[in-house]
Amino acid sequence: MADSAALAPVSGGATIDDVASASGVSTATVSRVLTRTARVNPATGARVRAAVRSLRYAPNVSARRLKRGRTEMLGIVLPDLAGEFFSELIRGADEAADARGYHLLVAGTHNRRNDVEETVRLLAGGRVDGLILMAPLLPPTVAPLLRELSVPTVYLSATPASLGDESVLVDNAAGMALATEHLIRAHGHQKIALLTGLPGHFDAAQRRDGFHRAMAAAGLAVPPEYEAEG
């Protein structure tokens, strides 16, 4: 067991060599204890951790990630960060990432098409190992850019610009058709208005199609004044 003098904080910041010396083990053993990549004798592990605490040693995470060739970070880009829907997406992604030893970096694009490419370029430039991208207003340049950069990407609610890539889809058209049919059949309504989304919004366009499909199937007209952007 190292004495208290050996465990005194090192001026200028402790190194892994200091920790190894203080705990009487090799730097490889210190690394195994800190990264938990191999089993270490419990007493040895406790001694190393005590030295780490006493010396206030902070591993150089950036150097370790550079050596491994990965950042251990995943990015998730969403059109907005407010509201229960997006918070549930973030929570689920974070739980899955954490279970696999990754951290989650969250970014919002404020539903602005121009912000999407800028945010993606920022994250894809070596800051993350993979990307989850939900961008109903996806510029056509983004999907080819991510393929060129070889950044593994999963799209939430794919758009035509990203079709063919890994995607998790919501059947917006069928969902809106069911909602419209409920108003028609369960409540007998015939004059039904639709608040559409932003122009060019992929999910909103699909929902609009589902609405019109259900109205047409019921033989109901949709006057132009029954639709408004929302």
Side-chain angles (χ1 to χ4, degrees):
M1 178 70 72
D3 60 25
S4 58
L7 293 179
V10 176
S11 176
T15 68
I16 192 171
D17 292 322
D18 298 323
V19 174
S21 176
S23 52
V25 299
S26 67
T27 56
T29 298
V30 174
S31 179
R32 286 195 291 270
V33 171
L34 295 179
T35 60
R36 302 179 184 178
T37 54
R39 297 192 65 176
V40 177
N41 179 281
T44 300
R47 195 162 69 247
V48 170
R49 287 188 288 273
V52 167
R53 289 193 300 271
S54 180
L55 295 170
R56 299 176 185 174
Y57 170 67
N60 189 329
V61 176
S62 297
R64 188 173 69 199
R65 289 172 177 170
L66 183 63
K67 183 178 179 180
R68 293 180 179 178
R70 62 178 190 265
T71 66
E72 298 174 357
M73 297 286 292
L74 297 177
I76 179 168
V77 180
L78 301 171
D80 201 344
L81 302 182
E84 184 177 357
F85 175 74
F86 294 113
S87 66
E88 286 296 299
L89 283 178
I90 294 169
R91 184 172 67 86
D94 184 57
E95 287 179 354
D98 181 67
R100 291 158 180 81
Y102 281 82
H103 299 284
L104 197 66
L105 188 59
V106 181
T109 61
H110 313 287
N111 267 314
R112 293 195 291 261
R113 189 187 297 269
N114 291 341
D115 284 2
V116 176
E117 183 168 354
E118 181 180 348
T119 302
V120 166
R121 282 187 181 277
L122 181 66
L123 295 179
R127 287 177 170 81
V128 297
D129 296 325
L131 195 64
I132 300 168
L133 177 57
M134 185 177 193
L137 295 170
L138 184 69
T141 55
V142 170
L145 170 66
L146 288 169
R147 296 186 203 113
E148 180 183 338
L149 295 174
S150 299
V151 178
T153 303
V154 174
Y155 293 87
L156 300 182
S157 296
T159 71
S162 63
L163 292 179
D165 296 293
E166 296 291 337
S167 302
V168 176
L169 300 174
V170 174
D171 196 341
N172 289 288
M176 181 60 83
L178 286 172
T180 307
E181 289 167 2
H182 174 72
L183 292 177
I184 296 170
R185 295 176 181 175
H187 296 280
H189 297 310
Q190 296 187 359
K191 297 180 179 180
I192 303 172
L194 175 68
L195 287 175
T196 67
L198 298 170
H201 192 290
F202 185 69
D203 287 345
Q206 288 187 314
R207 293 167 190 155
R208 184 176 183 274
D209 290 343
F211 169 74
H212 280 275
R213 187 174 69 199
M215 293 292 284
L220 299 175
V222 183
E225 62 269 21
Y226 279 23
E227 289 190 32
E229 290 182 10

